[in-house]
Amino acid sequence: MSTNPFSLSGVKHTIAISSCKGGVGKSTIAAALAWELARRGFKTGLLDTDIYGPSLPSLFQLNHIRAEINEFKMVVPVEHKGLKLMSFGFLLGDAPAVMRGPMVANYIKQLLFQTDWGELDYLLLDMPPGTGDVQLTITQLIKLTGAVIVTTHHTLSLVDAARGILMFEKVKVPILGVIENMAYFTAPDTGKRYYIFGEQKAKSLSSRFGVKTLVEIPILEGLCAGMSDFQKNPYIQEAGDEFVEAIKHIEASQSHLKDAVFKEGQVVLTFSDGRVLSAPAFDLRAHCPCAGCVSEMTGQRLVDVKKIPSDIFPREILPLGNYAVGISWSDGHSSGIYPYTLFEHLKH
Ligand code: ADP
């Protein structure tokens, strides 16, 4: 079955695998975790969002593969050992991508939504490193179940991890936990552990943000050598156990937007825990927070409310992230993001 363009309706959980610095092993961990989930029988996809240096094709030794386009003009993910994989590398080959920052999030969005993922239990997004605009846009565009932060014990990495946690908190994406990669090295002759970057600094992350460490992964020779070494790797298996548990925990504790309708002049949102939020359509349109309606410099409202039709109604309401809806209005305006907090503020 083919999914609708611009919808991930067949995907149960989309999870960002994020790091705030390059080189901490994020792509390797994302690939290993996806591999482990597929090994357990979960339908799993992995999207490499790196435009400038896609690593997924080489991680899976699939550099020669090019993705195909199906009759619905959707990109067909590359299937490998039960995993569905997609990367710019499967479209561009070795050609370098030449793109400016603002375009990047758009390309990632296209690749995500125009890939025919079909039915998936888990879609892992190997996010670009950092906490800039691109990352923030992705977290706002996609309804993420949660995020995993990959970091190393190095102090700077931990400071960056804290920044990442705050970014996800801002858009109300729960953190499943932190994977501390390259945490220590075990000497092969003596079996002694060496905490090269210092021991247990990540404790400060859990005490400050209440974020769990899912697993500590040591420096492993095997992880550099290619995917075959992910098999039966006890650390990757532990990461898989913790990941599945964390998702269960989030599922149990979170309420999802179940329904969004327009009724008697109101936009009404109903959540899975029975909570209902509603706000007058006119007021929502008048309070549109997009850059075209509110000056980014002064915060002054630019929209002329007299020009808003009194019978305005939403043509489409789309859930965005875990905190807002995007609305396409009958007056043609469609760039606004309306946080649930705005509904609370405007309710009559
Ligand atoms: P990132 O996606 O954060 O930029 P990568 O996944 O590309 O980082 O990893 C950077 C390098 O570190 C790669 O050569 C990878 O094989 C290696 N690496 C990652 N994790 C480990 C580990 N636990 N032990 C040894 N090498 C690792």
PDB file of all heavy atoms in Angstrom, residues 19 21-29 55 59 126-127 129 150 181-183 217-225, ligand 1:
ATOM      1  N   SER A  19      22.127  14.774  17.792  1.00  0.00           N
ATOM      2  CA  SER A  19      23.303  15.124  18.587  1.00  0.00           C
ATOM      3  C   SER A  19      23.568  16.579  18.284  1.00  0.00           C
ATOM      4  O   SER A  19      23.175  17.080  17.247  1.00  0.00           O
ATOM      5  CB  SER A  19      24.509  14.298  18.185  1.00  0.00           C
ATOM      6  OG  SER A  19      25.004  14.760  16.955  1.00  0.00           O
ATOM      7  N   LYS A  21      26.499  17.893  18.201  1.00  0.00           N
ATOM      8  CA  LYS A  21      27.838  18.023  17.625  1.00  0.00           C
ATOM      9  C   LYS A  21      28.039  16.875  16.641  1.00  0.00           C
ATOM     10  O   LYS A  21      27.482  15.795  16.852  1.00  0.00           O
ATOM     11  CB  LYS A  21      28.846  17.821  18.752  1.00  0.00           C
ATOM     12  CG  LYS A  21      29.497  19.070  19.192  1.00  0.00           C
ATOM     13  CD  LYS A  21      30.818  18.786  19.883  1.00  0.00           C
ATOM     14  CE  LYS A  21      31.681  19.998  19.848  1.00  0.00           C
ATOM     15  NZ  LYS A  21      31.008  21.231  20.134  1.00  0.00           N
ATOM     16  N   GLY A  22      28.840  17.118  15.629  1.00  0.00           N
ATOM     17  CA  GLY A  22      29.176  16.038  14.717  1.00  0.00           C
ATOM     18  C   GLY A  22      30.235  15.132  15.337  1.00  0.00           C
ATOM     19  O   GLY A  22      30.925  15.537  16.278  1.00  0.00           O
ATOM     20  N   GLY A  23      30.304  13.919  14.859  1.00  0.00           N
ATOM     21  CA  GLY A  23      31.396  13.039  15.247  1.00  0.00           C
ATOM     22  C   GLY A  23      31.219  12.295  16.552  1.00  0.00           C
ATOM     23  O   GLY A  23      32.129  11.624  17.018  1.00  0.00           O
ATOM     24  N   VAL A  24      30.036  12.400  17.171  1.00  0.00           N
ATOM     25  CA  VAL A  24      29.832  11.683  18.442  1.00  0.00           C
ATOM     26  C   VAL A  24      29.297  10.261  18.201  1.00  0.00           C
ATOM     27  O   VAL A  24      29.124   9.498  19.149  1.00  0.00           O
ATOM     28  CB  VAL A  24      28.882  12.440  19.407  1.00  0.00           C
ATOM     29  CG1 VAL A  24      29.462  13.780  19.807  1.00  0.00           C
ATOM     30  CG2 VAL A  24      27.486  12.608  18.823  1.00  0.00           C
ATOM     31  N   GLY A  25      29.039   9.929  16.934  1.00  0.00           N
ATOM     32  CA  GLY A  25      28.566   8.585  16.609  1.00  0.00           C
ATOM     33  C   GLY A  25      27.064   8.513  16.381  1.00  0.00           C
ATOM     34  O   GLY A  25      26.488   7.416  16.371  1.00  0.00           O
ATOM     35  N   LYS A  26      26.433   9.634  16.160  1.00  0.00           N
ATOM     36  CA  LYS A  26      24.969   9.659  15.997  1.00  0.00           C
ATOM     37  C   LYS A  26      24.496   8.767  14.845  1.00  0.00           C
ATOM     38  O   LYS A  26      23.593   7.952  15.019  1.00  0.00           O
ATOM     39  CB  LYS A  26      24.511  11.099  15.778  1.00  0.00           C
ATOM     40  CG  LYS A  26      23.068  11.242  15.339  1.00  0.00           C
ATOM     41  CD  LYS A  26      22.718  12.670  15.039  1.00  0.00           C
ATOM     42  CE  LYS A  26      23.652  13.324  14.069  1.00  0.00           C
ATOM     43  NZ  LYS A  26      23.699  12.742  12.730  1.00  0.00           N
ATOM     44  N   SER A  27      25.144   8.912  13.675  1.00  0.00           N
ATOM     45  CA  SER A  27      24.691   8.131  12.512  1.00  0.00           C
ATOM     46  C   SER A  27      24.935   6.642  12.746  1.00  0.00           C
ATOM     47  O   SER A  27      24.105   5.805  12.381  1.00  0.00           O
ATOM     48  CB  SER A  27      25.423   8.570  11.248  1.00  0.00           C
ATOM     49  OG  SER A  27      25.089   9.891  10.964  1.00  0.00           O
ATOM     50  N   THR A  28      26.051   6.347  13.358  1.00  0.00           N
ATOM     51  CA  THR A  28      26.376   4.940  13.635  1.00  0.00           C
ATOM     52  C   THR A  28      25.340   4.355  14.595  1.00  0.00           C
ATOM     53  O   THR A  28      24.830   3.251  14.380  1.00  0.00           O
ATOM     54  CB  THR A  28      27.789   4.835  14.272  1.00  0.00           C
ATOM     55  OG1 THR A  28      28.691   5.592  13.477  1.00  0.00           O
ATOM     56  CG2 THR A  28      28.246   3.407  14.382  1.00  0.00           C
ATOM     57  N   ILE A  29      25.011   5.107  15.639  1.00  0.00           N
ATOM     58  CA  ILE A  29      24.051   4.621  16.633  1.00  0.00           C
ATOM     59  C   ILE A  29      22.657   4.515  16.012  1.00  0.00           C
ATOM     60  O   ILE A  29      21.925   3.547  16.258  1.00  0.00           O
ATOM     61  CB  ILE A  29      23.999   5.568  17.860  1.00  0.00           C
ATOM     62  CG1 ILE A  29      25.373   5.666  18.530  1.00  0.00           C
ATOM     63  CG2 ILE A  29      22.936   5.138  18.860  1.00  0.00           C
ATOM     64  CD1 ILE A  29      25.898   4.403  19.134  1.00  0.00           C
ATOM     65  N   SER A  55      25.778   9.645   5.274  1.00  0.00           N
ATOM     66  CA  SER A  55      26.675   8.554   5.674  1.00  0.00           C
ATOM     67  C   SER A  55      26.001   7.192   5.582  1.00  0.00           C
ATOM     68  O   SER A  55      26.656   6.171   5.643  1.00  0.00           O
ATOM     69  CB  SER A  55      27.147   8.792   7.112  1.00  0.00           C
ATOM     70  OG  SER A  55      26.038   8.960   7.964  1.00  0.00           O
ATOM     71  N   LEU A  59      27.541   3.378   5.498  1.00  0.00           N
ATOM     72  CA  LEU A  59      27.398   2.564   6.718  1.00  0.00           C
ATOM     73  C   LEU A  59      26.870   1.176   6.380  1.00  0.00           C
ATOM     74  O   LEU A  59      27.242   0.188   7.001  1.00  0.00           O
ATOM     75  CB  LEU A  59      26.419   3.233   7.676  1.00  0.00           C
ATOM     76  CG  LEU A  59      27.023   4.054   8.801  1.00  0.00           C
ATOM     77  CD1 LEU A  59      25.960   4.869   9.495  1.00  0.00           C
ATOM     78  CD2 LEU A  59      27.742   3.162   9.796  1.00  0.00           C
ATOM     79  N   ASP A 126      17.800  10.221  11.421  1.00  0.00           N
ATOM     80  CA  ASP A 126      19.171  10.576  11.780  1.00  0.00           C
ATOM     81  C   ASP A 126      19.298  12.066  11.466  1.00  0.00           C
ATOM     82  O   ASP A 126      19.470  12.469  10.328  1.00  0.00           O
ATOM     83  CB  ASP A 126      20.129   9.713  10.934  1.00  0.00           C
ATOM     84  CG  ASP A 126      21.578  10.054  11.168  1.00  0.00           C
ATOM     85  OD1 ASP A 126      21.866  10.929  11.999  1.00  0.00           O
ATOM     86  OD2 ASP A 126      22.431   9.434  10.491  1.00  0.00           O
ATOM     87  N   MET A 127      19.151  12.890  12.508  1.00  0.00           N
ATOM     88  CA  MET A 127      19.043  14.342  12.331  1.00  0.00           C
ATOM     89  C   MET A 127      20.397  14.966  11.969  1.00  0.00           C
ATOM     90  O   MET A 127      21.440  14.442  12.366  1.00  0.00           O
ATOM     91  CB  MET A 127      18.576  14.978  13.645  1.00  0.00           C
ATOM     92  CG  MET A 127      17.207  14.551  14.094  1.00  0.00           C
ATOM     93  SD  MET A 127      15.916  15.493  13.315  1.00  0.00           S
ATOM     94  CE  MET A 127      16.015  17.031  14.229  1.00  0.00           C
ATOM     95  N   PRO A 129      23.443  17.320  12.721  1.00  0.00           N
ATOM     96  CA  PRO A 129      23.913  17.724  14.052  1.00  0.00           C
ATOM     97  C   PRO A 129      23.627  19.199  14.318  1.00  0.00           C
ATOM     98  O   PRO A 129      23.578  20.000  13.390  1.00  0.00           O
ATOM     99  CB  PRO A 129      25.423  17.476  13.989  1.00  0.00           C
ATOM    100  CG  PRO A 129      25.766  17.424  12.545  1.00  0.00           C
ATOM    101  CD  PRO A 129      24.538  17.001  11.810  1.00  0.00           C
ATOM    102  N   VAL A 150      22.314  11.576  21.299  1.00  0.00           N
ATOM    103  CA  VAL A 150      23.586  10.851  21.366  1.00  0.00           C
ATOM    104  C   VAL A 150      24.667  11.854  21.734  1.00  0.00           C
ATOM    105  O   VAL A 150      24.747  12.936  21.159  1.00  0.00           O
ATOM    106  CB  VAL A 150      23.933  10.186  20.010  1.00  0.00           C
ATOM    107  CG1 VAL A 150      25.239   9.404  20.116  1.00  0.00           C
ATOM    108  CG2 VAL A 150      22.799   9.277  19.550  1.00  0.00           C
ATOM    109  N   ASN A 181      27.836   7.707  24.058  1.00  0.00           N
ATOM    110  CA  ASN A 181      28.671   6.902  23.170  1.00  0.00           C
ATOM    111  C   ASN A 181      30.149   7.116  23.489  1.00  0.00           C
ATOM    112  O   ASN A 181      30.537   8.150  24.035  1.00  0.00           O
ATOM    113  CB  ASN A 181      28.364   7.281  21.718  1.00  0.00           C
ATOM    114  CG  ASN A 181      28.947   6.275  20.738  1.00  0.00           C
ATOM    115  OD1 ASN A 181      29.139   5.101  21.085  1.00  0.00           O
ATOM    116  ND2 ASN A 181      29.221   6.703  19.532  1.00  0.00           N
ATOM    117  N   MET A 182      30.923   6.131  23.132  1.00  0.00           N
ATOM    118  CA  MET A 182      32.380   6.144  23.348  1.00  0.00           C
ATOM    119  C   MET A 182      32.685   6.532  24.792  1.00  0.00           C
ATOM    120  O   MET A 182      33.569   7.339  25.082  1.00  0.00           O
ATOM    121  CB  MET A 182      33.051   7.114  22.361  1.00  0.00           C
ATOM    122  CG  MET A 182      32.721   6.754  20.912  1.00  0.00           C
ATOM    123  SD  MET A 182      33.754   7.613  19.725  1.00  0.00           S
ATOM    124  CE  MET A 182      32.530   8.488  18.757  1.00  0.00           C
ATOM    125  N   ALA A 183      31.892   5.969  25.699  1.00  0.00           N
ATOM    126  CA  ALA A 183      31.963   6.362  27.108  1.00  0.00           C
ATOM    127  C   ALA A 183      33.266   5.915  27.763  1.00  0.00           C
ATOM    128  O   ALA A 183      33.797   6.614  28.613  1.00  0.00           O
ATOM    129  CB  ALA A 183      30.771   5.770  27.857  1.00  0.00           C
ATOM    130  N   ILE A 217      27.779   3.245  25.739  1.00  0.00           N
ATOM    131  CA  ILE A 217      28.426   2.379  24.745  1.00  0.00           C
ATOM    132  C   ILE A 217      29.923   2.683  24.752  1.00  0.00           C
ATOM    133  O   ILE A 217      30.323   3.838  24.610  1.00  0.00           O
ATOM    134  CB  ILE A 217      27.822   2.600  23.333  1.00  0.00           C
ATOM    135  CG1 ILE A 217      26.320   2.300  23.370  1.00  0.00           C
ATOM    136  CG2 ILE A 217      28.534   1.749  22.293  1.00  0.00           C
ATOM    137  CD1 ILE A 217      25.602   2.473  22.062  1.00  0.00           C
ATOM    138  N   PRO A 218      30.737   1.662  24.953  1.00  0.00           N
ATOM    139  CA  PRO A 218      32.179   1.922  24.980  1.00  0.00           C
ATOM    140  C   PRO A 218      32.740   2.142  23.577  1.00  0.00           C
ATOM    141  O   PRO A 218      32.020   1.991  22.594  1.00  0.00           O
ATOM    142  CB  PRO A 218      32.745   0.637  25.590  1.00  0.00           C
ATOM    143  CG  PRO A 218      31.754  -0.412  25.297  1.00  0.00           C
ATOM    144  CD  PRO A 218      30.416   0.251  25.191  1.00  0.00           C
ATOM    145  N   ILE A 219      33.992   2.476  23.517  1.00  0.00           N
ATOM    146  CA  ILE A 219      34.668   2.519  22.216  1.00  0.00           C
ATOM    147  C   ILE A 219      34.817   1.077  21.756  1.00  0.00           C
ATOM    148  O   ILE A 219      35.360   0.237  22.474  1.00  0.00           O
ATOM    149  CB  ILE A 219      36.042   3.207  22.340  1.00  0.00           C
ATOM    150  CG1 ILE A 219      35.815   4.671  22.702  1.00  0.00           C
ATOM    151  CG2 ILE A 219      36.858   3.039  21.073  1.00  0.00           C
ATOM    152  CD1 ILE A 219      37.065   5.500  22.815  1.00  0.00           C
ATOM    153  N   LEU A 220      34.242   0.791  20.617  1.00  0.00           N
ATOM    154  CA  LEU A 220      34.228  -0.579  20.118  1.00  0.00           C
ATOM    155  C   LEU A 220      34.894  -0.629  18.762  1.00  0.00           C
ATOM    156  O   LEU A 220      34.549   0.161  17.877  1.00  0.00           O
ATOM    157  CB  LEU A 220      32.779  -1.073  19.964  1.00  0.00           C
ATOM    158  CG  LEU A 220      31.940  -1.168  21.236  1.00  0.00           C
ATOM    159  CD1 LEU A 220      30.485  -1.340  20.883  1.00  0.00           C
ATOM    160  CD2 LEU A 220      32.434  -2.340  22.085  1.00  0.00           C
ATOM    161  N   GLU A 221      35.808  -1.546  18.637  1.00  0.00           N
ATOM    162  CA  GLU A 221      36.477  -1.686  17.351  1.00  0.00           C
ATOM    163  C   GLU A 221      35.465  -1.993  16.256  1.00  0.00           C
ATOM    164  O   GLU A 221      35.495  -1.447  15.177  1.00  0.00           O
ATOM    165  CB  GLU A 221      37.465  -2.844  17.459  1.00  0.00           C
ATOM    166  CG  GLU A 221      38.853  -2.476  17.064  1.00  0.00           C
ATOM    167  CD  GLU A 221      39.738  -3.692  17.109  1.00  0.00           C
ATOM    168  OE1 GLU A 221      39.642  -4.456  18.100  1.00  0.00           O
ATOM    169  OE2 GLU A 221      40.508  -3.867  16.162  1.00  0.00           O
ATOM    170  N   GLY A 222      34.524  -2.840  16.628  1.00  0.00           N
ATOM    171  CA  GLY A 222      33.564  -3.339  15.641  1.00  0.00           C
ATOM    172  C   GLY A 222      32.711  -2.265  15.003  1.00  0.00           C
ATOM    173  O   GLY A 222      32.397  -2.339  13.819  1.00  0.00           O
ATOM    174  N   LEU A 223      32.364  -1.236  15.781  1.00  0.00           N
ATOM    175  CA  LEU A 223      31.432  -0.247  15.254  1.00  0.00           C
ATOM    176  C   LEU A 223      32.024   0.541  14.094  1.00  0.00           C
ATOM    177  O   LEU A 223      31.301   1.138  13.328  1.00  0.00           O
ATOM    178  CB  LEU A 223      31.000   0.726  16.355  1.00  0.00           C
ATOM    179  CG  LEU A 223      29.876   0.250  17.260  1.00  0.00           C
ATOM    180  CD1 LEU A 223      29.388   1.391  18.115  1.00  0.00           C
ATOM    181  CD2 LEU A 223      28.707  -0.331  16.487  1.00  0.00           C
ATOM    182  N   CYS A 224      33.345   0.542  14.006  1.00  0.00           N
ATOM    183  CA  CYS A 224      33.959   1.256  12.892  1.00  0.00           C
ATOM    184  C   CYS A 224      33.953   0.389  11.630  1.00  0.00           C
ATOM    185  O   CYS A 224      34.114   0.873  10.535  1.00  0.00           O
ATOM    186  CB  CYS A 224      35.419   1.598  13.190  1.00  0.00           C
ATOM    187  SG  CYS A 224      35.651   2.352  14.780  1.00  0.00           S
ATOM    188  N   ALA A 225      33.760  -0.883  11.817  1.00  0.00           N
ATOM    189  CA  ALA A 225      34.066  -1.804  10.720  1.00  0.00           C
ATOM    190  C   ALA A 225      32.887  -2.113   9.809  1.00  0.00           C
ATOM    191  O   ALA A 225      33.042  -2.790   8.819  1.00  0.00           O
ATOM    192  CB  ALA A 225      34.624  -3.098  11.295  1.00  0.00           C
TER     193      ALA A 225
HETATM  194  P1  ADP B   1      28.158  11.493  13.738  1.00  0.00           P
HETATM  195  O1  ADP B   1      26.963  10.959  13.000  1.00  0.00           O
HETATM  196  O2  ADP B   1      27.829  11.913  15.136  1.00  0.00           O
HETATM  197  O3  ADP B   1      28.889  12.568  12.983  1.00  0.00           O
HETATM  198  P2  ADP B   1      29.388   8.969  13.114  1.00  0.00           P
HETATM  199  O4  ADP B   1      28.302   8.016  13.389  1.00  0.00           O
HETATM  200  O5  ADP B   1      29.662   9.305  11.670  1.00  0.00           O
HETATM  201  O6  ADP B   1      29.201  10.318  13.921  1.00  0.00           O
HETATM  202  O7  ADP B   1      30.682   8.399  13.809  1.00  0.00           O
HETATM  203  C1  ADP B   1      31.949   9.040  13.720  1.00  0.00           C
HETATM  204  C2  ADP B   1      33.029   7.981  13.735  1.00  0.00           C
HETATM  205  O8  ADP B   1      33.085   7.358  15.019  1.00  0.00           O
HETATM  206  C3  ADP B   1      32.797   6.862  12.737  1.00  0.00           C
HETATM  207  O9  ADP B   1      34.040   6.518  12.179  1.00  0.00           O
HETATM  208  C4  ADP B   1      32.276   5.719  13.585  1.00  0.00           C
HETATM  209  O10 ADP B   1      32.584   4.460  13.028  1.00  0.00           O
HETATM  210  C5  ADP B   1      32.988   5.942  14.881  1.00  0.00           C
HETATM  211  N1  ADP B   1      32.264   5.431  16.066  1.00  0.00           N
HETATM  212  C6  ADP B   1      31.003   5.758  16.450  1.00  0.00           C
HETATM  213  N2  ADP B   1      30.703   5.154  17.628  1.00  0.00           N
HETATM  214  C7  ADP B   1      31.774   4.428  17.970  1.00  0.00           C
HETATM  215  C8  ADP B   1      32.095   3.569  19.066  1.00  0.00           C
HETATM  216  N3  ADP B   1      31.226   3.360  20.067  1.00  0.00           N
HETATM  217  N4  ADP B   1      33.313   2.992  19.081  1.00  0.00           N
HETATM  218  C9  ADP B   1      34.202   3.217  18.105  1.00  0.00           C
HETATM  219  N5  ADP B   1      33.986   4.003  17.050  1.00  0.00           N
HETATM  220  C10 ADP B   1      32.770   4.608  16.976  1.00  0.00           C
END
